[in-house]
Coordinates of all heavy atoms in Angstrom, one line a residue:
A385 N 26.5 -14.4 1.6 CA 26.9 -15.1 2.8 C 28.3 -15.6 2.8 O 28.8 -16.2 1.8 CB 26.0 -16.3 3.0
Q386 N 29.1 -15.1 3.8 CA 30.5 -15.6 3.9 C 30.6 -17.0 4.5 O 31.5 -17.8 4.1 CB 31.3 -14.6 4.7 CG 32.8 -14.8 4.6 CD 33.6 -13.8 5.4 OE1 33.1 -13.3 6.5 NE2 34.8 -13.4 5.0
T387 N 29.7 -17.2 5.4 CA 29.5 -18.6 6.0 C 28.1 -18.9 5.8 O 27.3 -18.1 5.3 CB 29.9 -18.5 7.5 OG1 28.9 -17.7 8.2 CG2 31.3 -18.0 7.8
D388 N 27.7 -20.1 6.3 CA 26.2 -20.4 6.3 C 25.6 -19.3 7.2 O 26.1 -19.0 8.3 CB 26.0 -21.8 6.9 CG 26.4 -22.9 5.9 OD1 26.7 -22.6 4.8 OD2 26.5 -24.1 6.4
V389 N 24.4 -18.9 6.8 CA 23.8 -17.7 7.5 C 22.3 -18.1 7.7 O 21.6 -18.7 6.9 CB 23.8 -16.5 6.6 CG1 22.9 -15.4 7.1 CG2 25.3 -15.9 6.6
I390 N 21.8 -17.7 8.9 CA 20.4 -17.7 9.2 C 20.0 -16.3 9.5 O 20.7 -15.6 10.3 CB 20.1 -18.6 10.4 CG1 20.4 -20.1 10.1 CG2 18.6 -18.5 10.8 CD1 20.3 -21.0 11.3
C391 N 18.9 -15.9 8.9 CA 18.4 -14.5 9.1 C 16.9 -14.5 9.2 O 16.2 -15.4 8.7 CB 18.9 -13.6 8.0 SG 18.3 -14.0 6.4
L392 N 16.4 -13.4 9.8 CA 15.0 -13.1 9.8 C 14.7 -12.0 8.7 O 15.4 -11.0 8.7 CB 14.5 -12.5 11.1 CG 14.6 -13.5 12.3 CD1 14.3 -12.8 13.6 CD2 13.7 -14.7 12.1
A393 N 13.8 -12.3 7.8 CA 13.5 -11.5 6.6 C 12.2 -10.8 6.9 O 11.2 -11.4 7.0 CB 13.5 -12.2 5.3
Y394 N 12.3 -9.5 7.1 CA 11.1 -8.7 7.4 C 10.6 -8.0 6.1 O 11.4 -7.2 5.5 CB 11.4 -7.7 8.5 CG 10.2 -6.9 9.1 CD1 9.3 -7.6 9.8 CD2 10.1 -5.5 8.9 CE1 8.2 -6.9 10.3 CE2 9.0 -4.8 9.4 CZ 8.1 -5.5 10.2 OH 7.0 -4.8 10.7
P395 N 9.4 -8.2 5.6 CA 9.0 -7.7 4.3 C 9.1 -6.1 4.3 O 8.9 -5.4 5.2 CB 7.5 -8.1 4.3 CG 7.4 -9.3 5.2 CD 8.3 -9.0 6.3
Y396 N 9.6 -5.7 3.1 CA 9.9 -4.3 2.9 C 8.6 -3.4 3.1 O 8.7 -2.3 3.6 CB 10.5 -4.0 1.6 CG 11.8 -3.2 1.6 CD1 12.8 -3.5 2.6 CD2 12.0 -2.1 0.8 CE1 14.0 -2.8 2.6 CE2 13.2 -1.4 0.9 CZ 14.1 -1.7 1.8 OH 15.3 -1.0 1.9
A397 N 7.5 -3.9 2.6 CA 6.2 -3.1 2.8 C 5.9 -2.9 4.3 O 5.5 -1.8 4.7 CB 5.1 -3.9 2.1
H398 N 6.2 -3.9 5.1 CA 6.0 -3.7 6.5 C 7.0 -2.7 7.1 O 6.7 -1.9 7.9 CB 6.2 -5.1 7.3 CG 5.1 -6.0 7.1 ND1 4.5 -6.3 5.8 CD2 4.4 -6.8 7.9 CE1 3.6 -7.2 6.0 NE2 3.5 -7.5 7.2
A399 N 8.3 -2.8 6.6 CA 9.3 -1.9 7.1 C 9.0 -0.5 6.8 O 9.3 0.4 7.6 CB 10.7 -2.3 6.5
R400 N 8.5 -0.2 5.6 CA 8.1 1.2 5.2 C 7.0 1.7 6.1 O 7.1 2.9 6.5 CB 7.7 1.2 3.8 CG 8.7 0.9 2.7 CD 8.2 1.2 1.3 NE 9.2 0.8 0.3 CZ 9.1 -0.3 -0.4 NH1 8.1 -1.2 -0.1 NH2 10.0 -0.6 -1.3
R401 N 6.1 0.9 6.4 CA 5.0 1.3 7.4 C 5.6 1.6 8.7 O 5.2 2.6 9.4 CB 3.9 0.3 7.4 CG 2.7 0.7 8.2 CD 1.5 -0.2 8.1 NE 1.8 -1.5 8.6 CZ 1.9 -2.6 7.8 NH1 1.8 -2.5 6.5 NH2 2.2 -3.8 8.3
Q402 N 6.5 0.7 9.2 CA 7.1 0.9 10.5 C 7.9 2.2 10.5 O 7.9 3.0 11.5 CB 8.0 -0.3 10.9 CG 7.2 -1.6 11.1 CD 6.3 -1.6 12.3 OE1 6.5 -0.7 13.2 NE2 5.4 -2.5 12.4
R403 N 8.6 2.5 9.5 CA 9.4 3.7 9.3 C 8.6 4.9 9.5 O 9.0 5.9 10.1 CB 10.1 3.7 8.0 CG 11.0 4.9 7.7 CD 11.2 5.0 6.2 NE 10.0 5.1 5.4 CZ 9.9 5.0 4.1 NH1 11.0 4.6 3.4 NH2 8.8 5.1 3.5
D404 N 7.4 4.9 8.9 CA 6.5 6.1 8.9 C 5.6 6.2 10.1 O 5.2 7.3 10.5 CB 5.6 6.0 7.7 CG 6.4 6.1 6.4 OD1 7.5 6.6 6.4 OD2 5.8 5.6 5.3
E405 N 5.4 5.1 10.9 CA 4.5 5.1 12.0 C 5.0 4.7 13.3 O 4.4 5.0 14.4 CB 3.3 4.2 11.6 CG 2.6 4.5 10.3 CD 1.5 3.5 10.0 OE1 1.3 2.5 10.8 OE2 0.8 3.7 8.9
N406 N 6.2 4.1 13.4 CA 6.7 3.5 14.6 C 8.0 4.2 15.0 O 9.0 4.0 14.4 CB 6.9 2.0 14.5 CG 7.4 1.3 15.7 OD1 7.8 2.0 16.7 ND2 7.3 0.0 15.8
L407 N 7.9 5.1 16.0 CA 9.1 5.9 16.4 C 10.2 5.0 17.0 O 11.4 5.3 16.8 CB 8.6 7.0 17.4 CG 9.7 8.0 17.8 CD1 10.2 8.7 16.6 CD2 9.1 9.0 18.8
V408 N 9.8 4.0 17.7 CA 10.8 3.1 18.3 C 11.7 2.5 17.1 O 12.9 2.4 17.2 CB 10.2 2.0 19.1 CG1 11.2 1.0 19.6 CG2 9.5 2.6 20.3
F409 N 11.0 2.0 16.1 CA 11.6 1.4 14.9 C 12.5 2.4 14.3 O 13.7 2.1 14.0 CB 10.6 0.9 14.0 CG 11.1 0.3 12.7 CD1 11.5 -1.0 12.6 CD2 11.3 1.1 11.6 CE1 12.0 -1.6 11.4 CE2 11.8 0.6 10.4 CZ 12.1 -0.8 10.3
L410 N 12.0 3.6 14.1 CA 12.8 4.6 13.4 C 14.0 5.0 14.1 O 15.1 5.2 13.5 CB 11.9 5.9 13.2 CG 12.5 7.0 12.4 CD1 12.9 6.6 10.9 CD2 11.5 8.2 12.3
R411 N 13.9 5.2 15.4 CA 15.1 5.5 16.3 C 16.2 4.4 16.2 O 17.4 4.7 16.1 CB 14.6 5.8 17.7 CG 14.0 7.1 17.9 CD 13.5 7.2 19.4 NE 13.0 8.5 19.7 CZ 12.3 8.9 20.8 NH1 12.0 7.9 21.7 NH2 11.9 10.1 21.0
Q412 N 15.7 3.2 16.3 CA 16.7 2.1 16.2 C 17.4 2.0 14.9 O 18.7 1.8 14.8 CB 16.1 0.7 16.5 CG 17.0 -0.4 16.7 CD 18.1 -0.2 17.8 OE1 17.7 0.2 18.9 NE2 19.3 -0.5 17.4
V413 N 16.7 2.2 13.8 CA 17.3 2.2 12.5 C 18.3 3.4 12.4 O 19.4 3.2 11.8 CB 16.3 2.3 11.4 CG1 16.9 2.5 10.0 CG2 15.5 1.0 11.3
A414 N 18.0 4.5 12.9 CA 18.9 5.7 12.9 C 20.1 5.4 13.7 O 21.2 5.7 13.3 CB 18.1 6.9 13.5
R415 N 20.0 4.7 14.9 CA 21.2 4.3 15.6 C 22.1 3.4 14.8 O 23.3 3.5 14.8 CB 20.8 3.6 16.9 CG 20.1 4.5 18.0 CD 19.9 3.8 19.3 NE 19.1 4.5 20.2 CZ 17.8 4.3 20.4 NH1 17.2 3.3 19.8 NH2 17.1 5.0 21.3

């Protein structure tokens, strides 16, 4: 953090499942 930071932390296990099953998620990450 360069300044104070607020973020949303999305669990990696969920992200892997979205990568494999959710085309909308995959396309946005590719962008």
Side-chain angles (χ1 to χ4, degrees):
Q386 191 182 31
T387 65
D388 289 348
V389 164
I390 296 176
C391 66
L392 295 172
Y394 189 67
Y396 230 50
H398 289 46
R400 291 190 187 98
R401 186 170 63 250
Q402 295 291 344
R403 177 197 62 195
D404 297 338
E405 301 176 1
N406 186 342
L407 186 57
V408 174
F409 177 87
L410 184 61
R411 283 176 172 169
Q412 185 58 46
V413 171
R415 291 189 191 99

